[in-house]
Amino acid sequence: MPRFAFFDGEIVPIEAAKVSIMTHAFNYGTGCFEGIRAYWDEAEGQLFVFRMPEHYQRLHRSARVLHIGLSYSVEQLGHITLELLRREGYRQDTYIRPLIYKSSEGVGVRLHDLEDSVAMFALPFGRYVEKEEGAEVMVSSWRRVGDNAVPARAKITGAYVNSALAKTEAVLNGYDEAIVLNQDGHVSEGSAENLFLVRDGLLITPPVTENILEGITRATIIELAHEELGRPTVERPVDRTELYVADELFLCGTGVQVAAVVSVDRRPVGGGQMGPIVRQVRELYFDVVRGRVSRYRHWCTPVYEG
Ligand SMILES: Cc1ncc(COP(=O)(O)O)c(C=O)c1O
């Protein structure tokens, strides 16, 4: 459990960070959030926050969609994060959860004329999907929320009911994760991850117009695959059955990191185990997030003084 939280403009003991049952966001899901990882590097004795400015830029974009007045800049949110992590003193992999939400108390569905608040906590975090080396997934019977209903581009708390429905359906049916199709029947993403296929050596991922969250890990992998592995990614609509005929498949996100998918709807992907390109991408990703690749060190913000 975390010991502290950022709440009402200051860092307070976690027990003091409480909201009322009348809070707008609790009643209507009117909040946005981020999920950021910080990686502990034992050799350097340092905790590195991965791509922190990019996460706070996305939080600002989410705020625009939800009419949330976010009074802290990207830099200020970064300072709060570092201060919170220092107070916690974590020396292990950590997950940071910033929240911005409609904090007025009362009844009435709307986004305007409401107070906005910012909160943040951080907790030790290991794996999100237990079988990162070989996840078995199903295509969900639930469809992804649409841009003209609940925009997936913004990381809206209420929209995660959609992810939760898909995830629980998958787990209760004996799978590790769900892949969700959008209203057009194209592959959108995992319940809380973006998705890449490998076909004939080519990396393919659905474009940002397929009701995906515009993932920071997704962008990271597109860049790393291009720059370091000489593999450009094609962003194009993906059919459901391409999942069945892909040579390799992986899910990626801050939580899941890079998880190899070894079967879809009980059909083995490729040889039914992690393929060579996924293996390469995973190894590179884990080196980069831990600050071990100097070229990408600027993506890693150190928490503690050197
Ligand atoms: C629905 C959804 N898609 C994709 C992602 C991956 O995004 P990112 O790589 O920015 O964490 C997430 C969150 O982590 C998510 O919740």
Side-chain angles (χ1 to χ4, degrees):
M1 270 291 282
R3 291 184 298 145
F4 300 100
F6 180 79
F7 188 70
D8 279 347
E10 55 184 341
I11 293 178
V12 297
I14 190 81
E15 307 79 48
K18 296 270 195 299
V19 294
S20 156
I21 59 165
M22 287 172 65
T23 301
H24 199 273
F26 179 64
N27 283 264
Y28 303 117
T30 46
C32 298
F33 67 104
E34 273 302 321
I36 310 172
R37 266 189 192 261
Y39 289 88
W40 174 248
D41 189 278
E42 188 62 46
E44 288 195 47
Q46 184 59 274
L47 188 63
F48 291 108
V49 189
F50 190 62
R51 303 204 76 174
M52 187 163 67
E54 289 83 350
H55 281 280
Y56 287 129
Q57 282 155 9
R58 185 170 65 189
L59 192 63
H60 270 270
R61 292 198 295 270
S62 294
R64 282 156 64 177
V65 176
L66 230 61
H67 284 283
I68 295 178
L70 179 48
S71 51
Y72 298 94
S73 67
V74 168
E75 291 71 27
Q76 285 170 324
L77 289 164
H79 288 309
I80 294 166
T81 309
L82 296 180
E83 190 48 37
L84 183 64
L85 290 171
R86 287 181 194 132
R87 289 285 289 276
E88 294 283 10
Y90 289 134
R91 296 169 69 85
Q92 59 195 306
D93 292 353
T94 302
Y95 189 81
I96 304 141
R97 166 54 48 81
L99 282 157
I100 55 176
Y101 60 101
K102 297 285 171 192
S103 52
S104 296
E105 295 177 15
V107 169
V109 181
R110 64 185 187 280
L111 294 173
H112 62 281
D113 295 341
L114 293 166
E115 279 166 30
D116 301 312
S117 293
V118 177
M120 194 186 303
F121 60 89
L123 70 176
F125 203 65
R127 287 185 170 214
Y128 179 75
V129 169
E130 213 37 61
K131 287 156 64 188
E132 262 180 27
E133 292 83 3
E136 300 189 77
V137 309
M138 67 176 278
V139 174
S140 184
S141 70
W142 297 96
R143 292 290 169 108
R144 187 77 178 117
V145 288
D147 196 49
N148 294 299
V150 184
R153 174 169 290 105
K155 206 166 162 62
I156 299 169
T157 54
Y160 277 72
V161 167
N162 181 234
S163 299
L165 286 166
K167 176 79 181 197
T168 290
E169 179 192 41
V171 171
L172 296 186
N173 282 287
Y175 297 90
D176 301 305
E177 253 305 340
I179 292 177
V180 189
L181 309 179
N182 63 21
Q183 297 298 326
D184 300 332
H186 293 146
V187 173
S188 181
E189 57 182 345
S191 73
E193 313 80 23
N194 294 118
L195 167 147
F196 284 72
L197 293 76
V198 181
R199 295 193 68 184
D200 298 323
L202 195 65
L203 281 168
I204 302 164
T205 195
V208 295
T209 46
E210 295 283 8
N211 296 310
I212 66 168
L213 180 76
E214 297 176 3
I216 289 156
T217 317
R218 174 182 179 278
T220 300
I221 286 168
I222 291 174
E223 185 167 342
L224 290 178
H226 189 231
E227 296 296 325
E228 304 301 315
L229 308 177
R231 290 187 189 277
T233 299
V234 178
E235 296 179 60
R236 65 155 177 80
V238 172
D239 281 340
R240 172 185 187 149
T241 53
E242 290 192 83
L243 302 172
Y244 300 161
V245 301
D247 304 319
E248 299 184 46
L249 196 58
F250 65 92
L251 297 169
C252 69
T254 299
V256 77
Q257 309 180 99
V258 181
V261 174
V262 294
S263 76
V264 182
D265 295 339
R266 301 290 181 219
R267 291 161 176 84
V269 175
Q273 49 192 304
M274 190 191 306
I277 296 177
V278 180
R279 191 176 299 280
Q280 252 186 329
V281 169
R282 281 190 95 226
E283 282 169 9
L284 183 57
Y285 183 75
F286 285 118
D287 281 345
V288 166
V289 295
R290 288 192 195 279
R292 293 183 190 143
V293 185
S294 57
R295 227 174 132 186
Y296 301 101
R297 184 82 172 196
H298 61 283
W299 284 346
C300 308
T301 306
V303 172
Y304 301 117
E305 301 293 328

